[in-house]
Structure formats: C-alpha cells, structure tokens
Amino acid sequence: MKKLLTLALLFVLGLAAVAQTPNGKNDKAAKEVEALERLRFEAQVKKDYPFLEKAFADDLVYTHSNGKQNNKTEYIQSIRDGKSVYDKIEVENINVRAYNNGKAAVVNGQIIIYQPNKPDGSPNVAHIKYVVVQVKNKQGWQVVLWQSQKQAS
C-alpha cells in the first residue's frame, strides 16, 4: 500500500511538473511582450521605422481611438506623413497574458499620449485604453491587432 501511495504521489508530481512547462513558457513570453510593447511605444515617438516594420505584422489591423483603421503600410506612412504624431507615450499600466505555449499574447492597458499642442496652444493629451494581440512567428513577436479607445481625462 505504501509503495502504491508513493507511486501515485510521484505520478501526480510528474503531472504537475509537465503542467508547469507551458506556464513557464507563457510567463517568459508575457515578460518579452511587455518589454516589446514599451519599446514599440518608444519607437513610435522616435519614428524608428525599422523597428516598427519588424514589430507590426504584414496583416496588421490598427484601429485608432477615433475608429479609423489602418493596415501596416498605412499606419507607418501616417507616422511618416505627420498624421500620427507622438511627442511622448507614457504607460500607466499594462497587463500581458500569454497563450499557446508562449506563441500568442493578449495585452491590455492604459497609456497617455502627448501630441503637439492644439492650435490654441492648449495641451493635446489623450488618455487611452487599448488591447493588442501579438503572435510569435519566424520574425519574432509581431502586433497583429491594435484597438484603442479614448477615456475621459
């Protein structure tokens, strides 16, 4: 009986170890994605086009807080053309949940976007809640979906 109990305990511990493996991958992925999110915001401010080209998937759907949608090419071009201008992006909070053995991640959070002053000289600040979906493929982590909504300041 004692031997059977020991074997059962070892079996359960073995299952627990196997079950933790994907969580470990998911935890690692969540940390990677959070760091990349912060770097992407920085790249949007600095107009780091090579970084943005890599960070956004070719099939990106980028929905601005006003409802306008862009694909990857349109969105990056909007930064080049000065239609999307970011003086500073400040992360208020960020939550990353990774799935599928660390191959997909859903991010939600809140940011403050500082843009050039309005024509009357008043500050142009947007408080944004957002959701991002990232996938890990042969190019690395890439944003496939961005959805945002303005919040009352």
Side-chain angles (χ1 to χ4, degrees), residues 2 9 15 25 37 39 44-45 51 58 84 86 105 116-117 119 123-124 127:
K2 193 174 182 181
L9 182 59
L15 284 178
K25 287 182 182 180
E37 279 293 292
L39 288 172
Q44 287 172 257
V45 171
F51 184 93
D58 289 341
S84 296
Y86 310 102
N117 287 345
N124 192 0
H127 294 262

Side-chain angles (χ1 to χ4, degrees), residues 8 21 26 49 55 58 60 66-67 69 78 100 108 131 146-147 153:
T21 302
N26 287 343
Y49 301 116
D58 289 341
L60 171 72
N66 64 5
Q69 283 190 336
S78 77
N100 196 26
N108 65 291
V131 175
W146 166 272
Q147 174 75 47
S153 42

Side-chain angles (χ1 to χ4, degrees), residues 22 25 29 31 36 60 74-75 80 84 86 93 107 121 123:
K25 287 182 182 180
K31 288 176 184 163
L36 286 168
L60 171 72
E74 293 166 339
Y75 178 63
R80 282 190 170 100
S84 296
Y86 310 102
N93 64 63
V107 182

Side-chain angles (χ1 to χ4, degrees), residues 40-41 61-63 111 130-132 143-148:
R40 182 174 53 81
F41 290 140
V61 176
Y62 193 102
T63 306
I111 56 175
Y130 69 93
V131 175
V132 171
V143 175
V144 295
L145 176 74
W146 166 272
Q147 174 75 47
S148 60

Side-chain angles (χ1 to χ4, degrees), residues 11-26 101:
F11 178 75
V12 169
L13 289 175
L15 284 178
V18 171
Q20 288 178 3
T21 302
N23 290 339
K25 287 182 182 180
N26 287 343
N101 246 355

